[in-house]
Structures are given as structure tokens and as C-alpha cells.
Amino acid sequence: MSKYILIIGACGQIGTELTYTLREKHGCEHVIASDIREGNDELMQSGPFEILDATNYDALEEVIAYYEISEVYLMAAMLSATAEKFPMRAWNLNMNTLFNVLNLAKDKKIDKIFWPSSIAVFGPNTPKNDTPQNTIMEPSTVYGISKQSGERWCEYYFNKFNVDVRSIRYPGLISWKTMPGGGTTDYAVEIYHKALTEKSYTCFLEEDTKLPMMFMDDAIRATLQVMEAPSEHIKERSAYNLAAMSFTPKEMAESIKAVIPEFKIAYEPDFRQEIANSWPSSIDDSKAQQDWNWQAEFDLEKTTKAMLENLDNMDK
Ligand SMILES: NC(=O)c1ccc[n+]([C@@H]2O[C@H](COP(=O)([O-])OP(=O)(O)OC[C@H]3O[C@@H](n4cnc5c(N)ncnc54)[C@H](O)[C@@H]3O)[C@@H](O)[C@H]2O)c1
């Protein structure tokens, strides 16, 4: 019999697409979506859904027992830009949900966990280019501190209690099905929407701020790949570096202009500039390539084409 999977934070930018892909693979009834709020119509109609606050251990345990869940994807979190505004709420949400899931696995109530980390674990003292898997990590944001602590706890639970938890450090994610949820790389999604509707965009980062990014299809593929790899192949029990492309807002605007020549961009950096300045420009993901054959498929040009075509079709 096929396993039952729970996705926590299923209505978010990643959770929505992860739910679709896992439902396609394992059957709709085997993938339970959950969140503290309802998602879009397509998600809500595609299979079982539970309103669930993942900070509530008892409620979480009840859903896991009821559906006989064996695998959990924990996608609920407060993202980088929002977390700077609500530091304690971010810390409590990001850490308590992780502890709840890790403890359920420790007590053998679930078998396997996916928990995402982020390039935000790195800080201003980290080598900026081709940032290695193991390097200086001194995050300067609330979000980054929570992700770095989370990585340490994941590795600890694996070493001490044999908890099978797997993680990747997602770069900024670009998608068209769901809007991003308050991160520092949100501009890389907003820009496509505005390019189509207004032929112009005012970016909240400076034109030469180079950050690691990834198209959502690649991110979902990486997530499934790391979860499906044999346990002995997963050598990193903190989180894997993961990369696809790196570019600046100016380069992204150029790639849009190649399709929409009249597109114009302006720059009005805000508080998110400081967060972006503390992050790497590019990531060395050779460990993920070695351990579970990771290879990205989408570069900037391919991403721009996919974003503009799909957003344009959605409007019709
Ligand atoms: N999107 C990115 O670019 C990116 C990059 C790096 C890492 N990540 C990580 O990936 C994960 C998912 O990110 P996302 O972009 O989909 O975030 P998002 O903000 O779009 O979605 C998070 C979801 O969690 C839900 N949620 C919030 N509090 C909850 C609670 N108490 N119980 C249950 N659900 C709750 C929200 O309603 C939301 O639907 C997060 O851990 C994030 O840190 C995302």
C-alpha cells in the first residue's frame, strides 16, 4: 500500500506546487494538504485538506494519527522580509513547528521529514561567490538565524535519534502559480507580473544585486529527488547547497526586454537591500550533484520564457 504524506504550509508558494506534484505521483487521496488558511480553488479541490496550526503539537499529532501519515513536508515558516518586522513571531513559528515535527519522528509517529533551509543561513562574512557547502555561517537576519539553528537541530536529531530528516538550502524561488510570501527575492516574481500588466517595474533592490535563484520546477524536482534518494546517499544531515542560476535585477530586466522590448525598470531600494547584501551571489552545489545527482534545468532565459508564457495564458 502506498504511503500517506502530510504537507504543512501547503497553500504557500512552494507548498501549492509541491502538493500538485506529490498528488500526481502518489494519488490525490494519499497526499494531505494542510495550512492555517485555505489555498486557491485548484488546490482546495484537488484532494484532502485540513486547517492545521503546526505550532499546535496535539492538533498535528491528531492529523498524523488520523491519516496514518508516514512522511511530512514542513513548508510553514515566516520568510526573510516579514521576519525582520516580527522577530519573535518568526522565531516561534520557524522553530516550534520544526521541533513538533522532529519530535513526532523521534517518537516513531512518522518515518521521514522534509524541512527546507535557505541561502539565508549565510551571512556577510561568508565567501560571496561559489559559496561552499561548509563555510562561515554568521547569518544577520532573524530568518537566517532560525534556518541555521534549524539545520543544527536536524543534524542533531539524525545523529542522536536516527530521525530521517532531509533538507536543502533553497535559493530565491521563481514561480507563476502562486505569489511569493514575503521574501527578499520576491522581486523576481513581481517583475514578470508587472512586465505583462504595466510594461514597467520598480525594483526594491539595486540593479547590480546578484543573488542565487531557481525556477520552481527545478526546486520541486530537487525536493522529490532528495526525499527519494537512498538514506545512505544523504551525507549532509544539516542541509544541501542547491543552485541553478545567479543574476542581478538588471540582467533579469534585460531578459524580459528581449521578449517585451518596451519594458522599463526603475530602482528604489528599501530595507530588503540590506538583507540581500548579506547573502551569497552564487552557490557551489557540487555535494548535491555528487550525492543525489542534482542538475538544474532552468537558466534565466528559459525561466523568463516560462514565466511570461504561463502568466500570459493565465490572463486569457
Ligand atoms: N520561496 C522561496 O524563495 C524560499 C527560499 C528559501 C527557503 N524557503 C523556505 O521554504 C518554505 C516554504 O516557503 P514558501 O515560499 O512556500 O512560503 P509561503 O510564505 O509562501 O508559505 C508558507 C505557508 O505556511 C502557512 N503557515 C504559516 N503559519 C502556519 C502555521 N502556524 N501552521 C500551518 N501553516 C502555516 C502560511 O499560511 C503559508 O501558506 C519555508 O520554510 C521557507 O523558509 C522558501
Side-chain angles (χ1 to χ4, degrees):
M1 214 179 70
S2 176
K3 61 192 169 196
Y4 284 86
I5 296 170
L6 176 67
I7 303 173
I8 298 170
C11 302
Q13 190 194 8
I14 308 175
T16 301
E17 298 207 33
L18 186 63
T19 303
Y20 297 151
T21 308
L22 287 172
R23 283 188 169 158
E24 223 165 80
K25 198 173 164 74
H26 298 282
C28 294
E29 296 305 313
H30 283 259
V31 179
I32 318 308
S34 73
D35 204 295
I36 42 165
R37 61 179 173 113
E38 292 200 345
N40 66 38
D41 289 348
E42 192 187 343
L43 180 89
M44 298 306 292
Q45 285 155 19
S46 68
F49 180 84
E50 292 284 338
I51 288 286
L52 175 66
D53 177 355
T55 60
N56 181 339
Y57 181 88
D58 293 338
L60 180 58
E61 189 184 28
E62 200 178 309
V63 168
I64 281 171
Y66 179 79
Y67 288 100
E68 298 178 6
I69 300 290
S70 60
E71 249 177 52
V72 171
Y73 290 73
L74 173 54
M75 312 311 285
M78 195 183 291
L79 303 199
S80 57
T82 315
E84 288 305 298
K85 295 182 182 157
F86 309 104
M88 287 321 296
R89 264 170 60 191
W91 177 257
N92 290 336
L93 173 64
N94 296 3
M95 300 316 294
N96 292 344
T97 53
L98 177 59
F99 277 122
N100 283 349
V101 175
L102 286 173
N103 285 328
L104 284 162
K106 176 178 164 237
D107 294 342
K108 309 276 178 249
K109 291 176 178 158
I110 50 175
D111 301 331
K112 213 191 230 185
I113 302 166
F114 178 78
W115 170 81
S117 186
S118 157
I119 55 162
V121 291
F122 300 117
N125 300 324
T126 303
K128 256 195 165 351
N129 295 311
D130 286 328
T131 301
Q133 174 71 38
N134 300 108
T135 185
I136 299 167
M137 292 163 84
E138 293 169 353
S140 53
T141 62
V142 174
Y143 176 70
I145 296 169
S146 77
K147 289 295 183 186
Q148 196 206 15
S149 309
E151 286 193 10
R152 299 287 86 228
W153 281 111
C154 287
E155 195 178 277
Y156 184 88
Y157 269 68
F158 172 75
N159 287 331
K160 295 277 172 184
F161 311 120
N162 208 19
V163 165
D164 189 355
V165 53
R166 302 167 183 215
S167 179
I168 46 194
R169 294 171 182 151
Y170 289 132
L173 298 184
I174 304 170
S175 67
W176 56 272
K177 289 185 188 162
T178 316
M179 288 302 281
T184 302
T185 53
D186 290 9
Y187 90 84
V189 176
E190 291 166 7
I191 194 171
Y192 291 110
H193 288 263
K194 296 282 184 190
L196 286 166
T197 54
E198 293 170 27
K199 311 275 183 255
S200 70
Y201 178 64
T202 302
C203 183
F204 58 74
L205 296 183
E206 284 163 4
E207 63 176 18
D208 56 355
T209 309
K210 188 170 168 187
L211 290 170
M213 302 273 190
M214 181 175 280
F215 189 54
M216 186 61 82
D217 291 27
D218 271 341
I220 299 292
R221 210 163 41 77
T223 306
L224 266 57
Q225 237 173 294
V226 78
M227 283 298 274
E228 285 165 7
S231 187
E232 62 276 17
H233 289 200
I234 304 298
K235 305 269 190 338
E236 289 298 331
R237 290 293 179 163
S238 53
Y240 278 95
N241 273 9
L242 191 75
M245 55 186 150
S246 284
F247 55 78
T248 64
K250 191 177 176 189
E251 286 164 342
M252 186 165 228
E254 291 304 324
S255 88
I256 293 173
K257 275 185 204 165
V259 185
I260 306 172
E262 62 273 38
F263 176 68
K264 287 200 167 35
I265 184 158
Y267 301 94
E268 279 177 22
D270 65 13
F271 74 101
R272 288 168 280 194
Q273 184 65 47
E274 196 183 329
I275 303 178
N277 288 347
S278 76
W279 289 354
S281 299
S282 61
I283 298 285
D284 174 359
D285 66 355
S286 47
K287 286 283 284 175
Q289 295 179 32
Q290 273 164 33
D291 291 358
W292 39 277
N293 297 322
W294 167 245
Q295 206 59 59
E297 285 176 4
F298 282 78
D299 60 11
L300 178 55
E301 199 186 336
K302 216 171 150 186
T303 300
T304 293
K305 190 169 179 287
M307 286 296 289
L308 292 176
E309 279 177 11
N310 283 300
L311 287 176
D312 201 27
N313 283 340
M314 256 171 59
D315 282 346
K316 284 177 184 154

